[in-house]
Amino acid sequence: MIKVSVLYPKSENTHFDINYYRDTHMPLVRQRLGSACKRTAIESGIAGGAPGEAPAFIAMGHLYFDSVSEFETAFGPHAEEILGDIPNFTNAQPTVQISEVIE
């Protein structure tokens, strides 16, 4: 299994509408990716590693697939629509990481 993590960095001027992300963007993503996407998770950053430190990321979205090729096949046809929705909930430039899930 692989996990596609979309990390939204936090800065002083970052805007992120977590309600839109949860209620509109992620349902859109799940619908477009279909059964290839096994599950999703959303995280909202609340703190950094040290007491009083701000989180490095204001939010993170995680998508789980059986393989990288299944992700690419499912995401490719919908990339423009999904990526085009990002300005509706944030001004952050996301970073994407694909990881192997080891259980």
Side-chain angles (χ1 to χ4, degrees), residues 42-94:
I42 298 171
E43 298 177 29
S44 180
I46 57 172
E53 184 177 67
F57 300 97
I58 195 164
M60 297 178 232
H62 306 287
L63 311 167
Y64 294 81
F65 297 84
D66 285 333
S67 67
V68 173
S69 63
E70 286 194 17
F71 162 66
E72 291 170 343
T73 298
F75 183 76
H78 307 287
E80 186 175 337
E81 179 183 14
I82 291 169
L83 298 176
D85 191 44
I86 293 173
N88 292 325
F89 60 87
T90 189
N91 61 350
Q93 180 65 40

Side-chain angles (χ1 to χ4, degrees), residues 17-64:
D17 183 343
I18 194 71
N19 293 323
Y20 183 96
Y21 189 69
R22 180 194 63 218
D23 299 336
T24 304
H25 183 74
M26 286 299 273
L28 168 73
V29 170
R30 284 192 299 268
Q31 195 277 328
R32 296 301 185 265
L33 299 180
S35 63
C37 184
K38 303 306 180 194
R39 66 183 167 137
T40 61
I42 298 171
E43 298 177 29
S44 180
I46 57 172
E53 184 177 67
F57 300 97
I58 195 164
M60 297 178 232
H62 306 287
L63 311 167
Y64 294 81

Side-chain angles (χ1 to χ4, degrees), residues 86-101:
I86 293 173
N88 292 325
F89 60 87
T90 189
N91 61 350
Q93 180 65 40
T95 297
V96 175
Q97 176 168 310
I98 300 176
S99 305
E100 181 179 7
V101 177

